[in-house]
Amino acid sequence: MQQEMKYIYMVYQKGSFSKAAQALYMTQPALSIAVQRVENEIGMPIFRRDHQPLELTEAGRVYIAKIQEIQFLEYQLEQQLGDLSQLKTGRLRLGGSHYLNSYVLPPVLAAYREKWPGIRLELKEASSAELLPMLKDNLIDLTFTVSSSAKDPFYRISAFEDRVLLAVPASLPVNGRLAAHAMTASDVLKGVHLTEAVPAADIACFSDTPFLLLTPGNNLYSRAVSIFQDRGVTPPVVMEVSQLVTAFHLCGAGLGATFISDRLVTVPDDRVLYYRLDSPLTSRHFDIVIPGKTYVSVAQKAFVELFTGYYQPAGSGTAPKGETPS
């Protein structure tokens, strides 16, 4: 791709010439001259400079769309040439939330790196609401989701499951009334929450408990709202945060109860007690998601095989959904 196109695309991504110049390690006047040269060549402006952040003109939208097409073709070429090396060289761009990148992916990435050191792994972090659009825009090669839609163009492979638990600071008085339902971190690590050895708690018992929720757009926010609504509960919400891991740490500090994944419980800790809830929404199934209409590289296929082999029991197999890509 031509250098001027890279400049223009960076301005589009950053929304300003100053931020783009900083990212490109060049001066703002030099960047402005380069963009103006292209605008003079096509005879139309690409950006509306009287808006902050910058907005694209109609010509700019066409120009950026073509840049994205070129980027996509270049990356496909890179993938297909890399496949000829049989995983000796190449690149794999993974997208995940902070939860996935910190608690689910590390052992698989370590095994992948050890097995195929020539593949450059790029790990991008974003909220769950941003990941599918990033996949659609060809910014990542695969991601994970608990959401599914028959209308989207993606191809899904069954990946792993987790269980949603209610985490409550041990210092809160509500725990005294629910001692028969409470589990410690050690119980969760033993898998007690996956059985009925400890009875499920009613979310209505926590109607006066301060809560920490994820921000709208997160899957666990939607599930939490539905769990509350099913029982007609409107608890006090003291804070909303964008990351599941942040909510868990704030819970450990005593700020309030929150919904977490059981995979966050990795060490014994007496600051938090856990409750199993009687709701189908506490069982989550994650899929690996890849584009359904594009070339799938050997590096992508190798990652899928390695991941499913690590997280799925022997003989469980995978459950592809959607049209099988080439």
Side-chain angles (χ1 to χ4, degrees), residues 122-202:
E122 297 179 5
L123 189 59
K124 299 178 186 293
E125 191 163 289
S127 70
S128 56
E130 296 173 302
L131 289 169
L132 290 183
M134 289 174 66
L135 186 67
K136 184 178 179 181
D137 291 341
N138 191 44
L139 299 176
I140 52 178
D141 297 317
L142 62 82
T143 186
F144 300 80
T145 183
V146 293
S147 304
S148 62
S149 171
K151 297 181 180 180
D152 70 40
F154 304 120
Y155 178 74
R156 291 173 166 78
I157 303 98
S158 177
F160 72 97
E161 293 183 352
D162 70 0
R163 295 295 179 90
V164 176
L165 297 172
L166 179 62
V168 181
S171 58
L172 296 186
V174 67
N175 297 301
R177 305 194 300 269
L178 296 167
H181 302 265
M183 295 177 289
T184 64
S186 295
D187 292 330
V188 175
L189 290 170
K190 293 174 184 175
V192 173
H193 66 294
L194 301 176
T195 72
E196 296 184 359
V198 176
D202 187 341

Side-chain angles (χ1 to χ4, degrees), residues 24 62-63 80 92 150-151 153 162 166-167 183 228 255 267 291 302 308:
L24 292 165
V62 172
Y63 200 91
Q80 293 183 39
L92 183 62
K151 297 181 180 180
D162 70 0
L166 179 62
M183 295 177 289
F228 290 142
L255 271 71
V267 294
T308 54

